[in-house]
Amino acid sequence: MELTTKQRTVLLTLTTEWQTPIQLANQLPEASGNLQDVQEGLKVLLQEGLVQMNPTVAGLYRLTKEGNTLKEFELGHNQIK
């Protein structure tokens, strides 16, 4: 899967702990901390199975096992460059 820069930023900001889109946006640099961009990124990552939505508390997201694996790959790949 080819991620856009914004989707990749959201992926790298997410963890396996539940977070709201606002929490994610607040962790991003001001230039990419737009809540709408975070929500759009989450939507795509959800469709790809890289993020899951909390089934009991609306508005909470976290990485799936696949998402965490991709995040680790992306982080490792950037260190090699």
Side-chain angles (χ1 to χ4, degrees):
M1 169 186 186
E2 189 76 25
L3 296 174
T4 66
T5 301
K6 291 178 183 178
Q7 293 164 351
R8 187 176 177 280
T9 301
V10 172
L11 175 79
L12 295 177
T13 304
L14 277 160
T15 66
T16 55
E17 300 295 321
W18 296 111
Q19 299 178 75
T20 66
I22 292 172
Q23 288 173 312
L24 295 168
N26 288 339
Q27 294 175 50
L28 299 175
E30 219 172 285
S32 58
N34 182 324
L35 182 58
Q36 183 177 348
D37 290 340
V38 169
Q39 290 173 326
E40 289 172 9
L42 285 170
K43 181 179 177 181
V44 172
L45 296 172
L46 275 165
Q47 292 171 345
E48 295 295 328
L50 301 173
V51 173
Q52 74 177 111
M53 198 173 357
N54 189 306
T56 56
V57 181
L60 292 178
Y61 301 85
R62 70 177 179 188
L63 290 174
T64 61
K65 182 178 178 183
E66 294 81 8
N68 199 46
T69 300
L70 180 58
K71 178 180 177 175
E72 290 173 2
F73 173 79
E74 290 279 337
L75 290 172
H77 183 69
N78 282 337
Q79 291 176 354
I80 296 171
K81 288 184 178 180

